[in-house]
Amino acid sequence: MLRRALRLGLGPGLLGRGLGTHREGSTLAWDGKVSEIKKKIQSILPGGAWSPLCDTSHLPPEHSDVVIVGGGVLGLSVAYWLKRLEKQQGAIRVLVVERDHTYSQASTVLSVGGIRQQFSLPENIQLSLFSVEFLRNINEYLAVVDDPPLDLQFNPSGYLFLASEEGATIMENNVKVQRQEGAKVCLMSPEQLQKKFPWINTEGVALASYGLENEGWFDPWCLLQGLRRKVQSMGVLFCHGEVTRFVSSSNHMETTSGEKVTLRRIHEVHVKVDRSQEYQPVECAIVVIAAGAWSGQIAELAGIGKGPPGTLQGTRLPVEPRKRYVYLWHCPQGPGLEAPLVADPSGAYFRREGLGNNYLGGYSPTEEEEPDPGNLEVDHDFFQEKVWPHLARRVPAFETLKVRRAWAGYYDYNTFDQNGVVGPHPLVVNMYFATGFSGHGLQQAPAVGRAVAEVMLEGRFQTIDLSPFLFSRFYLGEKAQEHCII
Amino acid sequence: MAAPRASLRLVAPVWNGGTSGIRGLSRAVDPEGSPRKGRTLLRFLADRFYDVEAVREYLLQKQVLKVLQKNRFQDKEWMRPNGRGLSGELWKLREVPVEAVDASGCAINYQGLDNLLALKELQSLSLQCCPHVDDWCLSRLHQLANSLRELSLAGCPRISERGLACLHHLQNLRRLDISDLPAVSNPGLTQILVEEMLPNCEVLGADWAQGLKLGPEEQTRDTASSPIPA
């Protein structure tokens, strides 16, 4: 009898037979209950999100070493390099706070996706050179076990900058700097240009610079997803919420010359959960602002710029959102497969998209014509009046074209000198910036992420020296002006 | 007098077994039906134990770096293939400009191309079925624009139409073989666009009608002509 009982108890048939005698509906309900119970047990065990007083599984953790505000390509790049350069695996706990997990307004995914080395500042060229090397070897950097490799859809077609008479000398100097840093750029006269690209109208062009290698465009969404999944596999926590408050403490100190300074340190970041009034105070050691177009607002929340104007305390972060339109049009007689990303001296630009004679392009408006950045509505008249005339003048085939789609995105525009803000804040000792790139953030993201991680971990820039991009330049008035801005 | 056509052949790929690991990486996501019970067990363990996960990541990194290491080794081999046997001959041929290189099936990659691009008189280059030649490598070929007349890229699994777009620098090219490129999305259309881009070049590749759907009269003609067995 004992043996029979044992056989009944241990055999797989007992529970199965018991379930089998129930009706269909309640079998399914039982299955659901089993998985619920399993989940509850998992959450109660150590490491789970259950706490005896209330359920906090939807909230971010209470403590985190680094909080990165903004989950776009720059924020994720900083998180990736932090985890990669940390001395011991799992030493640093990183939390990425992103307000919109669909990235519907993020500059990263709305970007045209170009990468170039044709800048005027050597630091920008170095950043772009490292980033292109990162993209080329992306499957070594971002390999995740069991996941397929990334295909960035990189088009190595290069950038073609056209310069009028006034801009020719500046272009020549820029190309000299670019060549010194290792970029492969060639200068072309109007005749050479006409021979190489017969569909261009070289009227008004005195000089052209053409990137031969390591320039082109790629799919930013793929880079973002690749970074996201790699960073998740490295143990970075993600939080879907919005930063509403910083809690900090001040320390009054004196410099060696006797000046009084107030140093601040952020202790807590209040993260508000989406669609709810609940918030979680996250105690943190370091905060990184990589919020793109909204970095100015976040910096104000942190109290940067609250002080008498003209002092370091009163220096704001001069990053604000600027709306830019991108139009996709079809032109059956347009430039062929060899078309690079052409940037006209007027500021209009276009590039080929796919194989079907479709082209993407836009135009950066002047200060007076800046559209209202309150929303991302597209102004189609802008194309008719401002973009099309320049395009049609430069490429006669574009006189007959048909706009298929258009969208708008934000530049995290640095009103001071249109270059990024990287590194620590001089007064708020544990806050770092990685923002303000004004339209060339995506192409410099891998290198900037590494630079910020180096500053956070080692205390100084090690591979690329980005001291001209520190926050203190806004107070000192030292512009790191970039001339080649599209 | 014209220099002899020195056709140097790189060392035959010794590690076909090794490439399967890398090819496994570049293959698209496997269909669910393929029996990889061992892989699912490893995945199950890796999800639950940190040690197993760490070991798997370490092995993956090593696998990924293997290609780079093997290529650096190959670079040295390029100068002295097969140990001492051929070095005497090569020494005599040092001054001879290399006109043709057949690197079919070789594991040459972006860094390895440094050696080929140094050959400024190269007229014919065959990179058929090279598993690591991709769009990035093609963007480097502009350095051979003055001399290159013949280029073959047939069967390279990583080349897409985006890389073919940067072949327009090679205006002296007279023969280009772009057949059997699995990563090119639209072979017929790409063929037409490449022919437009390189007007003086004979482009071998897909037939331009490949992939086109038959018109209605051609379809009925086909079904009428196909014999129905009695």
Side-chain angles (χ1 to χ4, degrees):
Chain A
M1 198 186 102
L2 186 61
R3 207 172 293 157
R4 193 156 41 93
L6 276 174
R7 218 182 302 131
L8 276 178
L10 293 174
L14 176 67
L15 208 54
R17 226 182 296 128
L19 283 176
T21 54
H22 288 203
R23 282 165 309 181
E24 262 309 299
S26 45
T27 318
L28 294 172
W30 179 245
D31 275 340
K33 279 205 193 118
V34 163
S35 57
E36 252 183 79
I37 291 174
K38 266 196 199 159
K39 267 200 210 134
K40 272 222 176 102
I41 293 176
Q42 262 183 347
S43 68
I44 288 174
L45 286 174
W50 184 76
S51 74
L53 299 175
C54 57
D55 181 15
T56 54
S57 53
H58 58 290
L59 291 176
E62 289 180 15
H63 309 273
S64 180
D65 294 319
V66 180
V67 172
I68 300 180
V69 182
V73 71
L74 269 171
L76 293 182
S77 177
V78 174
Y80 169 75
W81 283 103
L82 268 178
K83 290 307 262 184
R84 197 180 142 110
L85 296 176
E86 62 188 359
K87 293 282 185 316
Q88 221 184 12
Q89 202 190 29
I92 305 186
R93 200 160 173 203
V94 183
L95 173 73
V96 173
V97 180
E98 169 57 46
R99 184 167 64 172
D100 179 11
H101 67 271
T102 60
Y103 295 94
S104 56
Q105 297 197 322
S107 311
T108 304
V109 296
L110 297 169
S111 150
V112 165
I115 180 164
R116 57 179 162 116
Q117 281 86 52
Q118 295 183 54
F119 289 103
S120 54
L121 281 179
E123 286 81 14
N124 274 333
I125 304 173
Q126 288 166 15
L127 286 174
S128 185
L129 277 171
F130 175 74
S131 301
V132 90
E133 192 250 315
F134 182 93
L135 293 180
R136 189 170 62 235
N137 299 314
I138 195 165
N139 284 310
E140 283 169 34
Y141 284 104
L142 300 186
V144 176
V145 174
D146 279 339
D147 274 347
L150 293 169
D151 178 15
L152 277 183
Q153 316 251 329
F154 181 69
N155 283 271
S157 295
Y159 268 63
L160 178 71
F161 276 88
L162 305 172
S164 54
E165 280 292 333
E166 305 95 51
T169 348
I170 305 178
M171 177 176 271
E172 261 182 278
N173 293 335
N174 289 346
V175 170
K176 212 183 295 169
V177 176
Q178 289 152 22
R179 284 201 181 130
Q180 259 173 350
E181 296 296 330
K184 309 262 190 329
V185 186
C186 79
L187 280 170
M188 290 201 285
S189 67
E191 297 77 37
Q192 288 171 322
L193 186 65
Q194 187 76 84
K195 196 155 149 279
K196 204 162 180 91
F197 301 116
W199 36 264
I200 283 192
N201 168 21
T202 54
E203 173 206 337
V205 172
L207 195 61
S209 77
Y210 183 36
L212 295 168
E213 268 184 60
N214 292 334
E215 287 194 354
W217 57 90
F218 62 97
D219 178 16
W221 179 253
C222 177
L223 175 63
L224 188 70
Q225 291 309 308
L227 273 171
R228 209 182 150 101
R229 85 172 181 202
K230 176 67 177 172
V231 139
Q232 272 178 326
S233 84
M234 288 165 125
V236 168
L237 301 163
F238 275 83
C239 168
H240 179 199
E242 188 179 342
V243 169
T244 46
R245 198 173 156 216
F246 291 95
V247 173
S248 52
S249 69
S250 303
N251 220 346
H252 296 280
M253 313 198 64
E254 257 186 36
T255 62
T256 42
S257 48
E259 258 178 67
K260 291 220 187 298
V261 209
T262 313
L263 294 176
R264 270 203 297 134
R265 171 171 282 276
I266 297 182
H267 290 284
E268 269 181 15
V269 178
H270 286 199
V271 179
K272 181 176 94 75
V273 175
D274 196 43
R275 283 192 287 255
S276 145
Q277 289 303 314
E278 260 189 289
Y279 72 91
Q280 169 80 291
V282 179
E283 207 178 316
C284 60
I286 293 180
V287 175
V288 179
I289 296 191
W294 299 276
S295 306
Q297 293 172 15
I298 302 284
E300 266 182 47
L301 268 182
I304 293 174
K306 293 217 175 85
T311 60
L312 188 51
Q313 268 186 324
T315 317
R316 284 176 39 249
L317 178 71
V319 175
E320 56 182 49
R322 290 279 172 100
K323 188 156 87 162
R324 293 285 179 269
Y325 303 113
V326 179
Y327 302 92
L328 173 77
W329 65 87
H330 173 74
C331 175
Q333 304 301 326
L337 205 55
E338 75 274 10
L341 199 154
V342 181
D344 194 53
S346 60
Y349 65 91
F350 75 90
R351 67 156 171 89
R352 175 182 58 83
E353 168 67 27
L355 294 177
N357 278 115
N358 293 316
Y359 305 89
L360 272 187
Y363 172 70
S364 287
T366 56
E367 286 286 337
E368 300 84 41
E369 302 166 337
E370 282 287 348
D372 170 32
N375 56 31
L376 283 180
E377 299 291 322
V378 178
D379 180 8
H380 294 279
D381 295 326
F382 184 78
F383 183 78
Q384 295 280 124
E385 292 159 29
K386 298 275 169 12
V387 189
W388 199 358
H390 296 296
L391 289 175
R393 194 169 147 251
R394 193 51 61 203
V395 180
F398 281 160
E399 276 169 23
T400 45
L401 58 77
K402 191 168 163 150
V403 176
R404 287 263 169 91
R405 271 179 28 221
W407 65 87
Y410 290 120
Y411 271 16
D412 47 346
Y413 198 79
N414 179 348
T415 50
F416 187 71
D417 56 13
Q418 288 89 59
N419 260 323
V421 189
V422 176
H425 189 277
L427 291 182
V428 184
V429 294
N430 60 349
M431 169 166 281
Y432 293 81
F433 296 105
T435 180
F437 286 90
S438 322
H440 52 271
L442 172 67
Q443 58 189 279
Q444 294 178 336
V448 168
R450 186 177 64 164
V452 174
E454 283 169 0
V455 166
M456 284 162 65
L457 297 173
E458 309 291 331
R460 53 187 189 83
F461 296 112
Q462 284 185 320
T463 42
I464 304 178
D465 184 15
L466 296 180
S467 340
F469 292 170
L470 288 172
F471 183 92
S472 37
R473 75 186 195 268
F474 303 133
Y475 171 63
L476 298 171
E478 290 164 1
K479 286 198 179 187
Q481 189 75 38
E482 174 57 56
H483 297 289
C484 291
I485 292 280
I486 292 186
Chain B
M1 196 174 96
R5 201 179 163 83
S7 219
L8 282 167
R9 192 178 177 87
L10 274 183
V11 178
V14 269
W15 49 295
N16 268 316
T19 45
S20 66
I22 299 298
R23 279 228 189 83
L25 276 185
S26 61
R27 218 185 307 141
V29 179
D30 251 47
E32 296 305 312
S34 65
R36 283 158 58 192
K37 291 280 166 57
R39 197 55 81 85
T40 30
L41 172 67
L42 266 179
R43 221 179 183 160
F44 175 81
L45 287 176
D47 282 340
R48 276 152 184 78
F49 296 103
Y50 284 119
D51 300 334
V52 178
E53 194 186 357
V55 165
R56 287 200 80 194
E57 283 190 16
Y58 173 70
L59 289 174
L60 179 76
Q61 278 297 320
K62 282 203 71 173
Q63 207 179 36
V64 159
L65 284 176
K66 220 198 290 184
V67 182
L68 264 189
Q69 286 167 0
K70 285 248 156 108
N71 255 294
R72 266 184 246 130
F73 184 63
Q74 297 271 31
D75 292 352
K76 287 193 209 135
E77 294 262 86
W78 173 262
M79 298 305 288
R80 274 179 286 275
N82 297 343
R84 281 177 210 147
L86 271 167
S87 63
E89 257 185 57
L90 262 187
W91 189 262
K92 282 181 228 147
L93 290 171
R94 261 170 92 89
E95 303 305 317
V96 174
V98 177
E99 278 191 5
V101 168
D102 179 7
S104 327
C106 276
I108 191 165
N109 73 351
Y110 186 86
Q111 273 95 12
L113 271 186
D114 279 337
N115 297 299
L116 290 183
L117 298 173
L119 306 167
K120 289 302 172 202
E121 313 261 335
L122 194 65
Q123 288 182 15
S124 161
L125 176 59
S126 168
L127 292 170
Q128 288 186 17
C129 304
C130 292
H132 302 295
V133 165
D134 57 8
D135 299 334
W136 295 90
C137 299
L138 290 189
S139 75
R140 293 192 84 185
L141 290 182
H142 70 90
Q143 299 182 37
L144 298 172
N146 291 333
S147 56
L148 200 65
R149 300 242 184 289
E150 211 179 302
L151 176 63
S152 171
L153 300 169
C156 292
R158 292 209 185 174
I159 293 186
S160 73
E161 65 273 14
R162 300 177 284 275
L164 295 178
C166 39
L167 292 181
H168 81 274
H169 293 279
L170 308 172
Q171 284 299 327
N172 284 328
L173 208 60
R174 297 290 171 260
R175 250 178 80 88
L176 174 63
D177 185 357
I178 50 171
S179 47
D180 190 30
L181 292 173
V184 167
S185 53
N186 206 330
L189 181 56
T190 312
Q191 162 103 4
I192 300 177
L193 292 172
V194 171
E195 280 175 0
E196 274 180 16
M197 189 169 81
L198 294 169
N200 300 328
C201 182
E202 177 200 342
V203 180
L204 294 166
D207 182 22
W208 66 268
Q210 182 186 348
L212 286 181
K213 285 211 205 64
L214 291 171
E217 62 278 354
E218 283 154 344
Q219 260 176 357
T220 47
R221 211 188 315 136
D222 264 348
T223 49
S225 64
S226 63
I228 303 164

